[in-house]
Amino acid sequence: MDTTYGSWRPPLIWRGALLLIRALVGLLARLEVTGDVPAHLRRGPLVLAANHISPFDPMVMAAACQTRGIAPRIMATAGLFRAPVFGAAMRHAGHIRVDRGTSAVHRALDDAATAVARGSVILIYPEGRIGLDPGMWPERGKTGAARLALACGAPVVPVAQWGSHEVLPYQAPRGMLRGIARALWRRPVIRVHFGTPVDLGETTASSPGAARRATDRIIDALTDTLAPLRPDEPDLPRHVDPGRPSDPSRAHRRRSA
């Protein structure tokens, strides 16, 4: 693995796309970004760990990162890479394909580890899916983000977002046009906050239970970062998406202090 930091720079196609995405998000919502990433981390190596509440999240995160001078490489589902034209653009921009549900899924972590070691900022959703917690709080996470950070020694910054679920429904593209029309009319507020780097409490993923413990710390930090963004919705969200299923089986239990 190439461990020379700072060798990767976002290509022009991705820097230009970030500007377009920020403008698009601005049409559909009022984006409020708070918090920041230390200047010495903005070009990597860095892992951004975000909560996942809507199909619109990647657009929101890209726009929020652009306001902070960050061009993250996104770990995205393989279906996006198979799309005509768009898939080629994703590959050229340096994003990382995740073949969920296949034996090749582990290759994504290897690719991400190589990218981080070369100085990239990687955006990952540690929940591994759009969360289905009834209160829309972060679910119990998968260990991929923690294993990636521990393998590379890269810092992890939690990034919480709230409001993107009011733009696109869970079942998009079903209902997408209705959701976009409603967003254009109402322009809901979407809040994003960059938190403080997480103390993973571990130095390596090889010790028994290390990745699980580090994952729980990341989800704890995401929950703490999200809470101030929804002070008037502490239990259940006001906006109800009738097509969104509820699955409390992966509810996160905060670790003991």
Side-chain angles (χ1 to χ4, degrees):
M1 181 183 297
D2 182 356
T3 57
T4 303
Y5 289 160
S7 60
W8 188 85
R9 290 292 178 266
L12 181 61
I13 188 174
W14 182 223
R15 297 198 303 272
L18 285 170
L19 291 171
L20 291 175
I21 290 170
R22 183 178 176 184
L24 176 61
V25 171
L27 284 175
L28 298 174
R30 291 164 285 169
L31 181 64
E32 298 179 358
V33 183
T34 54
D36 207 344
V37 172
H40 68 283
L41 296 179
R42 290 176 193 162
R43 292 190 177 182
L46 176 65
V47 176
L48 296 176
N51 62 316
H52 204 358
I53 60 175
S54 164
F56 196 53
D57 290 347
M59 302 286 282
V60 170
M61 288 303 306
C65 285
Q66 199 279 332
T67 71
R68 294 300 185 261
I70 302 169
R73 298 171 74 172
I74 300 173
M75 298 186 72
T77 182
L80 294 177
F81 290 83
R82 290 192 290 267
V85 183
F86 185 77
M90 290 281 288
R91 289 189 293 272
H92 186 70
H95 301 307
I96 296 171
R97 172 174 172 159
V98 181
D99 291 279
R100 293 174 180 166
T102 73
S103 59
V105 69
H106 299 293
R107 187 185 310 153
L109 275 183
D110 293 337
D111 292 343
T114 300
V116 172
R118 290 176 175 168
S120 296
V121 177
I122 295 293
L123 171 64
I124 187 170
Y125 297 103
E127 295 165 274
R129 68 176 185 179
I130 295 176
L132 300 179
D133 177 80
M136 293 181 65
W137 289 99
E139 294 182 322
R140 184 173 68 251
K142 302 290 187 179
T143 59
R147 287 189 285 125
L148 171 61
L150 291 171
C152 302
V156 178
V157 169
V159 190
Q161 57 185 332
W162 186 247
S164 60
H165 58 295
E166 297 190 41
V167 176
L168 288 185
Y170 174 83
Q171 294 181 327
R174 184 187 303 174
M176 184 172 67
L177 292 180
R178 185 183 303 111
I180 289 175
R182 183 178 60 244
L184 284 168
W185 176 256
R186 296 181 59 245
R187 294 191 69 239
V189 175
I190 297 179
R191 299 181 178 91
V192 178
H193 183 75
F194 290 86
T196 57
V198 183
D199 177 7
L200 297 182
E202 309 286 342
T203 58
T204 175
S206 60
S207 60
R212 181 72 262 163
R213 291 190 297 271
T215 298
D216 289 344
R217 286 175 178 261
I218 291 171
I219 299 298
D220 285 348
L222 265 176
T223 302
D224 291 344
T225 306
L226 174 61
L229 302 185
R230 47 179 294 186
D232 54 344
E233 302 175 71
D235 299 314
L236 297 173
R238 286 194 308 269
H239 177 78
V240 177
D241 179 355
R244 185 191 195 95
S246 179
D247 178 11
S249 66
R250 283 178 52 182
H252 173 67
R253 293 185 178 181
R254 189 175 184 84
R255 63 185 176 86
S256 300

